[in-house]
Amino acid sequence: ATPCEVLHLIQLGWIKYAIEEFYNNILTSEAKKFLDRITAAVSGAMQRQSDRDFPRLKFPRALSKYKQLCAHKYAGCLLILVIALNSCICWDGNREDRKSKGGTKNNFANNSTMKEHTKRVQQFHHFFEMLLCFESWLKQEKFHKTII
């Protein structure tokens, strides 16, 4: 038995469709705008990384605006989403934001339309992390028979 192919099954398959499902069917329009601001900040902070074993993390536009990416860029997009979803500003209802007084009104803790989707967002967050781990595992040079 051999592991599945990374390019078509993982990058252009599971990762691409997971991101599309997340943006198109889980997030509200306000949540997309909020998450796009967070992912833009993460992407901007990562623009100078040059490690070739690390996915590309610089995306000049909002992640929700990308419809077609090269296969290798989907992992970077997914990593940016995971980093953004791990940030305190996405979940802390008392977190200060420059554009609002008090808590960030559109984060997942305060946005009234997103409160019912919070569990699904957390499930997708976990799924995104697992996809990144699986893709990394599949890209190993060697596999031991006992693992497969």
Side-chain angles (χ1 to χ4, degrees):
T2 59
C4 54
E5 180 195 17
V6 175
L7 175 67
H8 292 101
L9 182 67
I10 305 301
Q11 293 173 336
L12 291 175
W14 294 352
I15 292 176
K16 177 182 176 182
Y17 295 122
I19 292 170
E20 287 175 1
E21 177 71 16
F22 183 67
Y23 271 102
N24 296 336
N25 297 320
I26 302 299
L27 297 179
T28 62
S29 61
E30 297 88 21
K32 282 181 197 176
K33 289 175 189 172
F34 172 74
L35 193 57
D36 278 342
R37 281 190 15 233
I38 304 301
T39 56
V42 171
S43 178
M46 300 291 193
Q47 69 183 354
R48 300 241 185 251
Q49 79 85 19
S50 61
D51 187 350
R52 293 190 186 272
D53 294 331
F54 215 65
R56 177 187 164 167
L57 298 174
K58 179 61 181 156
F59 294 91
R61 296 183 311 186
L63 289 185
S64 64
K65 304 290 184 218
Y66 287 99
K67 300 301 177 204
Q68 294 292 324
L69 291 173
C70 296
H72 68 279
K73 293 180 184 174
Y74 278 108
C77 183
L78 195 63
L79 182 57
I80 288 174
L81 279 171
V82 166
I83 293 168
L85 290 171
N86 272 326
S87 70
C88 291
I89 199 166
C90 279
W91 301 102
D92 186 359
N94 298 317
R95 180 89 177 173
E96 291 285 331
D97 186 15
R98 283 182 266 164
K99 295 194 175 192
S100 66
K101 307 277 189 225
T104 307
K105 65 180 180 178
N106 286 324
N107 74 3
F108 300 123
N110 290 338
N111 187 326
S112 59
T113 60
M114 277 305 296
K115 283 187 179 181
E116 62 191 50
H117 299 288
T118 299
K119 185 164 178 70
R120 292 290 293 152
V121 171
Q122 290 170 339
Q123 289 170 338
F124 265 86
H125 178 208
H126 181 68
F127 181 55
F128 291 162
E129 289 175 342
M130 298 307 293
L131 279 175
L132 287 171
C133 290
F134 188 48
E135 184 205 26
S136 178
W137 182 77
L138 286 173
K139 286 184 171 182
Q140 295 180 95
E141 289 185 29
K142 295 181 181 180
F143 291 93
H144 297 283
K145 284 185 177 182
T146 56
I147 294 175
I148 297 174

